Amino acid sequence: AQFGSVSVLGTEGHVFKSHRSDFLNFYYVEYAGLFENQVKAILPEIYFATFGILIAVFGSFVGTSKTLNYPLTYKSILLMCASSLIIGMLILLSNPLSQGALFNGTYIVDYLSNAAKFLIMLSTCFILFSIKGYHEEYRINPFEYFVLIMFAVLGLCLLVGSSDILAAYLAIELQSLCLYVLAAFKRDSAYSIEAGLKYFVLGAFSSSLLLFGGSFLYGITGSTNLVEIVNFFVEHDSFCPEIINLVNISIIFISVGLLFKLAAAPFHMWSPDVYEGSPTSSSIFFAVVPKIAIFTFFLRLYEHGLYNLAILWQPILVVFTFTSVLVGAFTALKQKNLKRLLAYSAVSHVGYMLIAFSAGSFEGIQSLFFYLIIYMATGFCLWVILLMTNSKQDNVKKLKMSRSNTIGDLSGMLRSNMLLGFSASMIIFSMAGIPPFVGFYAKFCIFLAAINS
């Protein structure tokens, strides 16, 4: 229809020759524009990948340059990474393609993924500026630290748009491998090495559980794509008991693998040790940023791909939900170390977020992201205050704090620095959900959604 009387087999040679130039022009134009929309949709990810490679090359050549007297590239690379995150947010906001399924349906661009990417970049940018003084004091100078953060952000951005179990697994592994190294970055500390090793072993174990559950789901449906999975379960309303058992096994393994990443009880035992042993700058990143991406993929997997099977996965998540809330709250009562206390606090907050998720309603999703944003803001502020208690600067030495990272370090803060003490109190009250602070309204929305469901 495009070329009129052109024969497919070329038997009418004169016709083929007369239209050959038109055919070639059409072919090249179509081929050149074949991936145009796909490239536009993933411009932030392409930008981060390219920039991370350029930073690695820049640090390797400039930092080892004899003519430049082996300069420290730490400050310049930190500013480059922060500026790249700001540019990435601008690229995301000005992207002309706001919705679409790309790469044979394995990657989705929509308002949910764009909002999650923006939150990931914004929170990482704040973290980079807040850890500058910590790195200078503790002489964590290698530029590779920021290269790892950039690739971790790349993996998280890929995860929020993944619409395929294998694509999500590869994105999780990309960010996890970076986080393992960030946890063990203090090479002169045995605690940091232990944290990185423990994080690596248990993270690899959780990834294997995720793959194992995905392989069962592939065996049942014949696909790892979430759109094809939901179509399969829509077309087949009833299954034999053997298939139901296999689906149950698949959902359990996938849930356990993802709950390991979220540090939900009873799969949380790695998080207190990793938070305590890692450099505080890495612990902030662990506590705040990855949860956005994992909950976004949770939403795609369960509320979209397995929505018709809610009767199977809701009871499983409800059990882990209340286990996380109770274990996180009561175990935190015995903690004296601030990092371990914040780790168990994170376990409890993940439980509250799972309450909203388990509701399986639109109000539950709204309250989940509202709670997630409030938790990110308050958690970031509390971790920054913890960074200040570890500071050696003169304006913080007036606090007269020991640097043992215990709850006793906060004693007398109100008398030494009234503004800092008052801010810390308000943040802790908000995280506890005490009215009239914003944390109370976040918890109120969660319980309202759960009761309505």
Side-chain angles (χ1 to χ4, degrees), residues 149-448:
I149 285 184
M150 291 299 294
F151 279 107
V153 171
L154 171 63
L156 293 171
C157 289
L158 290 173
L159 178 59
V160 298
S162 297
S163 183
D164 190 280
I165 295 176
L166 284 181
Y169 167 76
L170 293 174
I172 288 174
E173 284 306 295
L174 175 59
Q175 61 96 20
S176 295
L177 289 171
C178 298
L179 298 186
Y180 301 152
V181 184
L182 290 177
F185 213 82
K186 261 178 122 175
R187 287 171 290 185
D188 56 345
S189 170
Y191 293 108
S192 181
I193 300 298
E194 179 191 357
L197 185 61
K198 187 172 292 187
Y199 196 9
F200 170 69
V201 172
L202 293 177
F205 175 65
S206 65
S207 298
S208 66
L209 294 179
L210 178 63
L211 273 182
F212 190 62
S215 66
F216 269 91
L217 201 58
Y218 174 76
I220 297 166
T221 63
S223 175
T224 57
N225 189 280
L226 299 184
V227 176
E228 296 180 7
I229 289 173
V230 70
N231 291 335
F232 177 85
F233 287 115
V234 167
E235 292 172 1
H236 301 79
D237 294 332
S238 59
F239 296 98
C240 61
E242 290 79 6
I243 297 295
I244 295 296
N245 291 334
L246 287 177
V247 173
N248 267 325
I249 293 173
S250 173
I251 291 174
I252 290 172
F253 276 104
I254 292 175
S255 301
V256 170
L258 291 175
L259 291 173
F260 252 109
K261 304 295 183 184
L262 287 173
F267 315 110
H268 68 288
M269 296 309 296
W270 60 270
S271 63
D273 296 332
V274 171
Y275 280 38
E276 183 183 11
S278 304
T280 309
S281 56
S282 301
S283 300
I284 297 179
F285 192 80
F286 300 157
V288 175
V289 183
K291 290 182 176 61
I292 311 167
I294 296 175
F295 267 113
T296 304
F297 180 69
F298 241 104
L299 186 63
R300 292 198 190 280
L301 178 63
Y302 287 102
E303 298 288 352
H304 176 62
L306 302 175
Y307 184 76
N308 291 336
L309 302 176
I311 193 172
L312 298 180
W313 56 260
Q314 267 185 325
I316 298 172
L317 290 185
V318 166
V319 172
F320 294 137
T321 291
F322 290 104
T323 305
S324 299
V325 171
L326 296 175
V327 170
F330 286 102
T331 312
L333 293 174
K334 302 187 296 182
Q335 304 303 316
K336 295 181 179 179
N337 185 281
L338 275 173
K339 283 187 173 183
R340 296 183 72 88
L341 176 66
L342 290 176
Y344 282 108
S345 170
V347 173
S348 181
H349 285 295
V350 165
Y352 285 112
M353 291 182 228
L354 288 173
I355 290 177
F357 186 84
S358 301
S361 62
F362 184 72
E363 291 80 8
I365 296 171
Q366 283 184 319
S367 59
L368 165 65
F369 278 94
F370 178 50
Y371 193 98
L372 188 59
I373 293 171
I374 299 304
Y375 168 73
M376 280 173 48
T378 53
F380 170 74
C381 294
L382 198 56
W383 276 100
V384 169
I385 291 173
L386 179 60
L387 272 178
M388 295 184 69
T389 64
N390 285 331
S391 179
K392 304 173 187 175
Q393 297 176 9
D394 293 335
N395 61 339
V396 186
K397 281 184 179 178
K398 299 175 185 177
L399 299 175
K400 297 180 181 179
M401 297 177 180
S402 63
R403 292 173 50 247
S404 56
N405 284 330
T406 63
I407 297 177
D409 293 348
L410 305 178
S411 177
M413 184 188 293
L414 189 63
R415 292 190 298 272
S416 303
N417 190 322
M418 183 174 292
L419 180 61
L420 187 63
F422 181 76
S423 302
S425 302
M426 297 303 102
I427 291 165
I428 292 172
F429 285 150
S430 178
M431 292 185 77
I434 296 174
F437 299 102
V438 68
F440 164 75
Y441 295 102
K443 282 187 169 64
F444 178 77
C445 290
I446 280 178
F447 285 117
L448 192 63

